[in-house]
Amino acid sequence: MSYSTFNQEQTNPLAEPMFFGNSVNVARYDQQKHSIFEKLIEKQISFFWRPEEVDVSRDRVDFNKLTASEKHVFISNLKYQTLLDSIQGRSPNIALLPIVSLPELETWIETWSFFETIHSRSYTHILRNLFSDPSEIFEDIVINDQIKLRANDISRYYDDLIFYTQLWQTHGEGKVTVEGVEHNVTRRELKKKLFLCINSVNALEAIRFYVSFACTFAFAERELMEGNAKIIRLIARDENVHLTSTQHMINLWQDGEDDPEMAEIAEELADEAYEIFMTAVKQEKQWAHYLFKDGSMIGLNESMLCQYVEYIANLRMQAIGYDAPFPERRSNPLPWMNKYLVSDNVQVAPQEAEISSYLVGQIDSSVDASDLGDFDL
Amino acid sequence: MTAKLFKVKVNGQHELTVDASEGTLLDALEKHQLEVHYHCKSGFCGACRSKLKSGSVRYLTDPLAYVRKGDFLPCCCVPESDLDIEH
Ligand code: FES
Ligand SMILES: [Fe+2]
Ligand SMILES: [Fe+2]
């Protein structure tokens, strides 16, 4: 089943499943099987921003005032986020584009991944401002054990799907031996790998950023590193759009609204999907432990962060039809987080002067008659 | 605008009177000092997802978050009748 960049067969995209149907030929959006993805594209594009437009220059002074343990928290989180967005900036494209069957979903995947690359570029923007040479920080990402542990768990579901898709594209269905290992490639097996992969990405978008978000906003609550906080608010807003897309995919499969075989697989692998999510929860708690190994920061400690992970995990699991895994954690232990997560923060603006929706593309559109001065019109 | 008052029961314990002509249902819950769950407040993240046990709501903006059967998003709707909700 080799991939064609322009499938010449006449297909009806309205009758195709999201994945593993015919490959997309005409990029058309006048008719849509799942119009939600077109709406998410519009939403995401309306959020376009450029890291360079956010002024982070004051953060350098703040950074030098942080304690050693606070510096560890700040830098470690940036490293972890850099890892996450390095993966997300490419993997949806590489893993999902070869198997997608709907034009609106194909374009959503590309839009999604593109925004992750903006996030990646913003980390360089932040780090360049703090260090004259940030390369040591970037280089540590591939040798730091704590980060590697997470990288492995995040990338393996993608890698597995990519590998099997490649086997399928070059050999078709059936048994194939590669480097002495026999693989049985079937469409159902591929779909299972896709299902697990999307659940793993869903966990990433749902909770993997939030320990780090919480630390950033805790600094901002103390009026520290506010340039960084502005960027992270823009990132958090994007991540919520990404999360909605993976929640849609999973729910559409479960409800049988897309591909009946995926509905079966969603049921068959429900426990495994749950485990993927709970492993991510556990790893995030371990990350909180690692962050605070040398001491807490004002306003935040390991146990509050772990409680917040549980609180968020409840919301996320219920969104895809599971019971809350931590029923005792109904209350938000970090209520101040919300004001940074609101997408249009006009009324509830915290102490900072600018609001995320006005941070970028600032144009002074108010023109007063007096601005025109002596112009004779 | 003339007030459109509805009774809203929350989590089986609180009875609020909500004016549908003023802000969203989530705003109303907040105004009544109940603990509210949200992120985006714009209908796309799903963090405010709640259960609609009875009654009906009207969306002010088209929700982009997936709304499962029996659920609704209070951050972008107003009551259209008396409600019984789980938030
Ligand atoms: S708060 Fe995001 S959907 Fe309601
Ligand atoms: Fe991202
Ligand atoms: Fe993302």
Side-chain angles (χ1 to χ4, degrees):
Chain A
M1 196 46 198
S2 65
Y3 181 76
S4 167
T5 47
F6 193 83
N7 179 5
Q8 303 243 342
E9 242 158 82
Q10 249 192 333
T11 61
N12 174 10
L14 294 179
E16 295 291 331
M18 290 190 281
F19 297 98
F20 290 116
N22 285 295
S23 51
V24 183
N25 46 28
V26 181
R28 60 184 289 188
Y29 317 97
D30 58 320
Q31 46 167 36
Q32 294 148 24
K33 166 121 180 243
H34 296 306
S35 60
I36 180 63
F37 296 109
E38 168 72 4
K39 291 178 189 157
L40 292 177
I41 294 166
E42 275 174 31
K43 187 58 139 187
Q44 179 67 92
I45 293 176
S46 78
F47 288 164
F48 181 76
W49 57 284
R50 292 193 310 138
E52 298 76 12
E53 288 177 33
V54 182
D55 179 9
V56 290
S57 59
R58 272 174 38 205
D59 289 10
R60 194 179 190 127
V61 182
D62 291 348
F63 186 73
N64 290 325
K65 288 191 295 204
L66 299 184
T67 65
S69 58
E70 287 173 335
K71 281 184 181 152
H72 166 72
V73 168
F74 186 87
I75 293 299
S76 301
N77 279 327
L78 267 184
K79 286 180 190 168
Y80 185 23
Q81 286 192 240
T82 304
L83 166 82
L84 294 174
D85 280 298
S86 302
I87 293 175
Q88 283 303 93
R90 67 177 73 99
S91 313
N93 285 343
I94 300 173
L96 305 177
L97 291 183
I99 56 174
V100 70
S101 302
L102 303 176
E104 68 274 21
L105 181 54
E106 180 183 55
T107 306
W108 162 249
I109 291 163
E110 291 170 312
T111 308
W112 171 17
S113 236
F114 168 60
F115 272 78
E116 308 286 26
T117 67
I118 298 181
H119 303 172
S120 295
R121 289 182 57 259
S122 76
Y123 305 136
T124 298
H125 178 58
I126 292 166
L127 285 167
R128 255 192 202 139
N129 170 64
L130 296 181
F131 305 97
S132 36
D133 179 12
S135 51
E136 196 192 312
I137 311 259
F138 287 120
E139 279 153 21
D140 185 56
I141 295 171
V142 279
I143 44 180
N144 181 310
D145 286 334
Q146 291 296 324
I147 308 234
K148 268 165 56 181
L149 178 77
R150 286 157 183 79
N152 185 42
D153 249 35
I154 296 165
S155 57
R156 71 191 169 103
Y157 294 99
Y158 271 129
D159 294 350
D160 202 30
L161 173 62
I162 291 166
F163 179 64
Y164 265 74
T165 302
Q166 287 169 342
L167 293 182
W168 178 60
Q169 287 175 330
T170 45
H171 302 276
E173 291 190 53
K175 292 198 168 74
V176 52
T177 303
V178 181
E179 289 170 350
V181 183
E182 190 185 79
H183 303 276
N184 189 13
V185 180
T186 64
R187 194 175 281 247
R188 190 171 177 102
E189 203 49 42
L190 279 159
K191 287 185 177 180
K192 284 182 172 177
K193 292 184 188 303
L194 168 66
F195 181 76
L196 295 177
C197 178
I198 294 296
N199 274 277
S200 156
V201 184
N202 181 62
L204 182 158
E205 301 281 2
I207 53 166
R208 286 201 187 265
F209 287 96
Y210 281 80
V211 164
S212 147
F213 288 168
C215 295
T216 294
F217 300 143
F219 281 123
E221 285 283 281
R222 293 160 55 199
E223 297 177 29
L224 291 172
M225 312 305 288
E226 289 182 301
N228 175 73
K230 281 175 195 166
I231 287 185
I232 301 299
R233 284 178 71 183
L234 293 164
I235 291 178
R237 183 176 69 170
D238 294 341
E239 299 307 350
N240 269 322
V241 185
H242 307 166
L243 172 63
T244 283
S245 83
T246 54
Q247 289 178 344
H248 268 278
M249 289 178 213
I250 294 170
N251 277 302
L252 287 169
W253 283 332
Q254 286 174 350
D255 289 1
E257 286 171 55
D258 182 64
D259 173 352
E261 195 176 18
M262 284 309 276
E264 281 172 33
I265 289 172
E267 224 179 286
E268 189 183 324
L269 299 182
D271 291 346
E272 218 171 311
Y274 182 82
E275 279 317 310
I276 287 175
F277 198 94
M278 294 310 278
T279 302
V281 168
K282 205 165 65 200
Q283 287 183 344
E284 291 317 290
K285 291 179 177 177
Q286 288 164 349
W287 182 251
H289 179 74
Y290 168 71
L291 289 179
F292 293 133
K293 65 183 174 54
D294 307 321
S296 307
M297 53 189 278
I298 298 171
L300 205 55
N301 59 35
E302 180 186 338
S303 116
M304 289 159 87
L305 268 182
C306 291
Q307 288 174 23
Y308 189 68
V309 170
E310 293 183 352
Y311 167 73
I312 293 279
N314 283 345
L315 301 182
R316 307 314 196 210
M317 288 310 264
Q318 287 172 310
I320 51 169
Y322 290 86
D323 291 336
F326 305 100
E328 69 289 354
R329 191 72 58 214
R330 292 284 181 202
S331 241
N332 182 355
L334 308 177
W336 44 264
M337 281 289 283
N338 288 353
K339 69 174 180 252
Y340 297 96
L341 296 170
V342 170
S343 99
D344 192 13
N345 213 345
V346 185
Q347 301 94 342
V348 258
Q351 55 278 72
E352 50 179 292
E354 286 152 296
I355 1 170
S356 59
S357 35
Y358 299 131
L359 274 179
V360 294
Q362 281 174 338
I363 297 169
D364 187 1
S365 57
S366 64
V367 178
D368 203 72
S370 61
D371 291 346
L372 299 173
D374 293 333
F375 276 117
D376 271 330
L377 296 178
Chain B
M1 227 193 284
T2 43
K4 278 189 264 167
L5 303 181
F6 295 105
K7 292 227 165 325
V8 179
K9 190 167 188 185
V10 187
N11 300 339
Q13 358 171 346
H14 313 276
E15 284 261 14
L16 326 174
T17 305
V18 173
D19 183 353
S21 69
E22 249 179 42
T24 65
L25 181 53
L26 191 81
D27 292 337
L29 301 183
E30 233 176 344
K31 228 180 279 165
H32 284 87
Q33 318 266 301
L34 298 187
E35 184 186 357
V36 283
H37 308 282
Y38 65 88
H39 290 167
C40 73
K41 277 196 174 174
S42 314
F44 67 83
C45 78
C48 65
R49 193 173 276 107
S50 307
K51 288 228 167 327
L52 186 58
K53 297 200 319 209
S54 76
S56 66
V57 296
R58 181 168 59 85
Y59 283 104
L60 304 172
T61 43
D62 187 15
L64 295 189
Y66 194 93
V67 184
R68 297 176 61 89
K69 254 189 219 89
D71 288 354
F72 78 112
L73 305 174
C75 76
C76 50
C77 72
V78 291
E80 231 179 12
S81 71
D82 289 348
L83 303 178
D84 186 355
I85 66 168
E86 206 65 71
H87 176 72

